[in-house]
Amino acid sequence: MLGKERGMSLWMLAWPVFLEMFLQFLLGTADTLMVSHISDDAVAVIGISSQLFAAVNILFMAVASGAGILVAQRLGAKKEAEGRLIGIIGAKLCLGLGALLSVLLYFGAGPIVRMLQLPTELQPLGETYISIVGGGMIFMAAMAGLGTVIRNTGNTRSPMYIAIGMNIIHIGMNYVVIYGAFGIPPLGLEGVAWSTTISRLAGAATMIAVFCSCFQQRIEWKDFRLFNRPLFKETLKISWPLGISMSSWCFTQLVIFALIAMIGSKELSARTYMNTMESFCFLIGFSIALAGQIRIAHLYGSGEHQAAYRCAYQVIWVGLVLVQANALLLYWFGEEAIRFFTNDPEIIMFGVSLLAINLLLQPAKMVNMAIVNALTAVGDTRYVMIVGFIVMWLVAVGGSYYMGIRLGWGLHGIYAAMIADELLRGLLVLVRWRAKRFMIKSTADVQTNKAVVIQ
C-alpha cells in the first residue's frame, strides 16, 4: 500500500508525464528544426498544419480523458473490474473516431488547405503534408486514447518509454528523407510527413500491447467486444463537455493562426518558432497539471475530498515556480534560440519582440491548466466547457481580430488577447473550485444512496 501511495504522489506521476511530453515536443521541434533546412515556407506549412492536427487530436483526448478520469476514480474506489471495462470502451471509441477522421483528412486535404487561408504558393505543400499525416490519424487516436487510460492507472512510465522509441524512429527517418542519407534521394516535406506517420504507427502498435496488460486482468482481443450501456453513458457524460471545451481551444488557436497568416508569412513563421520555444514552458505546466488530475481523481474516488481539494493548490504553486523560471530562461536566451531555426532578420525581430510578453502569458496558462484539470478530475466538465467556449471565442479570437487586425497591432495585439483569455478563464475556474461544489454534490449523492437503501 505504501508503495502504491508513493507511486501516486504528484512527483512520481509528473516526471514521467513531463519526460513523455518533452520527448513529444522534441519530435515536433525536430520537424521544425530539420524542415527549416528545406525552407521557411515548409516550416509555415508544418506550423499551421500542426494546429489542425492538434484540433483533431483533441477529439481523441476528450473521449480518452472522460474514460481515463472514470478509470482513476474506479481504481481509487477499489472497483478494478469497472475501471477495466471503462478503459476498453474508451479505447474502442477513440480508434473508431480515428479511422473516420483518417479517411476525411486524406481525401479532403485540398479543401482543408484553402479553409486554413494558407498563401497560394504554400497550398500544394500543405495539401501533400495534410493528406499523408492526416491519413494516419488512427495511429494518433491510439496513442492519445490508450495512453490516457494507461496513465490514469498510475502507470505514467510506459507511455514515456514509447515516446523515446518514437523519437528515435522519427528523427532517424527525418535525417534520411531530408538530407538524402544512405543513397536515398531527399524527399523534402513529403518525406517528413511519411516519417511522422510511420513513427506514430510504431508507437501505436506498442501502446496497444501495453494497454492490454495495464489492469490486473489482462485484456484479450475478444474483450474489445464488451459493452456496458450505463458505463458508456457515464463516459460520454464527462467526455462530451470535454470534447467541446478542448475542441474550442484548438479551433480558436487554428483561427488565430489563420489571422496571423492574414498579416503575413513572416509573422506566421515567427509565431511557429515562438510556439515551438514556448512549448517547453507549457509542457512543464501541463505535465504537473495532468499529474494533479490523476491524483485528484484517485483521491476523489476514494472519498478523500479535502486532500483532493488541497492537491489543486499544490499543483498551482509548484507549476508557477517551474513555469516562470523557464519563461525567464527563454526571455534571456530566446534570441539565440530563434537563430537556431532561421537567419531571417525580420522573423528574428518579430520573435524577440514577443519574449517579454511571454512572461505574462505562461503563469496565466499555469493557473488555468491546474484548476481546469482539477475540475475535470471530479467530473465538473460542463462548467469548464461553458466558460471555455464563451471566453475563448469572445476574448481570444475576438480580441485577436480586433487588436491584431483592426487596430493593426499585429502579433503583439494577438498575444495581448491570448493573455486576457487565460487570465479571465483562470479566475472563473478558480472561483468555481473554491466553492467546493464537488464536495456538496458527493455528499448529496451519498445521502441519496442511503435513503434508497433504507427504503
Side-chain angles (χ1 to χ4, degrees):
M1 184 69 180
L2 180 60
K4 178 70 173 176
E5 285 301 310
R6 285 176 178 170
M8 291 302 295
S9 70
L10 190 63
W11 165 248
M12 292 303 293
L13 289 170
W15 77 260
V17 173
F18 167 72
L19 190 53
E20 178 196 350
M21 298 294 175
F22 177 64
L23 289 168
Q24 295 292 348
F25 159 74
L26 284 182
L27 188 148
T29 303
D31 265 353
T32 305
L33 186 59
M34 290 180 164
V35 172
S36 67
H37 291 277
I38 300 173
S39 70
D40 287 327
D41 285 347
V43 170
V45 167
I46 284 186
I48 200 165
S49 299
S50 296
Q51 294 300 311
L52 170 66
F53 297 138
V56 171
N57 189 45
I58 221 71
L59 297 175
F60 309 142
M61 293 299 297
V63 174
S65 293
I69 290 160
L70 292 176
V71 167
Q73 290 179 1
R74 291 304 198 278
L75 293 179
K78 311 301 182 187
K79 297 178 179 178
E80 166 91 13
E82 284 190 20
R84 177 178 179 273
L85 183 52
I86 291 169
I88 293 170
I89 291 171
K92 289 196 296 184
L93 284 172
C94 282
L95 291 171
L97 186 60
L100 175 62
L101 288 171
S102 289
V103 174
L104 292 176
L105 288 169
Y106 180 79
F107 290 104
I112 290 171
V113 163
R114 291 186 288 274
M115 180 193 71
L116 293 176
Q117 299 294 313
L118 267 175
T120 305
E121 66 273 14
L122 300 186
Q123 288 184 9
L125 276 177
E127 187 170 345
T128 298
Y129 188 78
I130 288 173
S131 65
I132 295 172
V133 178
M137 280 298 102
I138 188 171
F139 308 133
M140 181 182 279
M143 294 291 296
L146 304 180
T148 299
V149 172
I150 292 166
R151 278 190 291 270
N152 276 276
T153 66
N155 178 9
T156 56
R157 296 191 183 188
S158 292
M160 173 192 73
Y161 296 137
I162 293 171
I164 293 173
M166 281 181 60
N167 271 268
I168 292 172
I169 294 171
H170 182 64
I171 293 173
M173 290 187 65
N174 265 6
Y175 178 79
V176 172
V177 300
I178 291 176
Y179 301 104
F182 307 114
I184 297 174
L187 299 175
L189 191 61
E190 181 179 356
V192 172
W194 281 113
S195 170
T196 300
T197 301
I198 292 170
S199 65
R200 284 177 178 165
L201 168 61
T206 311
M207 195 73 79
I208 290 172
V210 174
F211 173 76
C212 288
S213 59
C214 67
F215 295 97
Q216 289 183 6
Q217 181 183 352
R218 180 177 174 79
I219 296 172
E220 305 292 342
W221 288 112
K222 63 181 180 180
D223 293 327
F224 282 91
R225 296 197 300 267
L226 295 175
F227 185 76
N228 182 290
R229 188 177 295 274
L231 293 179
F232 176 73
K233 288 182 177 180
E234 191 176 354
T235 301
L236 288 185
K237 185 179 179 181
I238 292 180
S239 295
W240 78 261
L242 275 177
I244 293 176
S245 179
M246 292 177 175
S247 297
S248 290
W249 183 81
C250 272
F251 280 113
T252 55
Q253 295 302 303
L254 197 59
V255 172
I256 289 171
F257 258 79
L259 292 175
I260 296 172
M262 290 170 60
I263 299 172
S265 61
K266 289 188 182 296
E267 286 84 353
L268 181 60
S269 294
R271 172 56 187 154
T272 301
Y273 292 133
M274 279 298 297
N275 197 47
T276 299
M277 293 189 297
E278 289 168 17
S279 293
F280 190 72
C281 297
F282 170 79
L283 291 176
I284 292 174
F286 184 75
S287 62
I288 295 169
L290 185 57
Q293 177 182 301
I294 296 169
R295 176 148 179 78
I296 289 168
H298 276 261
L299 291 170
Y300 179 72
S302 63
E304 299 178 62
H305 296 157
Q306 283 292 345
Y309 178 76
R310 291 192 300 270
C311 185
Y313 296 106
Q314 180 188 6
V315 171
I316 288 177
W317 292 116
V318 171
L320 281 175
V321 170
L322 295 175
V323 164
Q324 193 64 358
N326 281 274
L328 284 168
L329 287 174
L330 183 59
Y331 175 72
W332 289 328
F333 302 106
E335 182 174 353
E336 288 79 3
I338 294 173
R339 292 184 185 278
F340 275 111
F341 297 102
T342 182
N343 292 318
D344 189 304
E346 196 172 353
I347 294 175
I348 294 172
M349 179 193 69
F350 284 132
V352 170
S353 68
L354 299 172
L355 293 172
I357 304 176
N358 190 55
L359 293 174
L360 299 175
L361 179 62
Q362 298 307 322
K365 275 187 178 182
M366 183 64 242
V367 174
N368 193 20
M369 283 191 296
I371 302 301
V372 163
N373 281 39
L375 288 170
T376 299
V378 299
D380 195 0
T381 55
R382 189 169 298 189
Y383 179 81
V384 171
M385 173 195 71
I386 294 170
V387 167
F389 187 86
I390 294 172
V391 177
M392 283 187 287
W393 285 102
L394 288 180
V395 178
V397 174
S400 292
Y401 174 75
Y402 182 71
M403 290 187 281
I405 305 296
R406 289 289 298 276
L407 296 182
W409 294 359
L411 284 175
H412 299 92
I414 289 173
Y415 262 67
M418 290 193 297
I419 291 170
D421 162 59
E422 296 284 354
L423 285 174
L424 181 55
R425 282 192 289 129
L427 175 63
L428 291 173
V429 295
L430 184 58
V431 169
R432 179 76 165 191
W433 185 253
R434 289 178 64 83
K436 301 182 181 180
R437 293 179 65 89
F438 70 95
M439 293 187 187
I440 298 170
K441 178 180 179 300
S442 181
T443 302
D445 290 343
V446 170
Q447 290 174 349
T448 300
N449 292 335
K450 285 181 179 178
V452 170
V453 171
I454 291 171
Q455 291 173 358

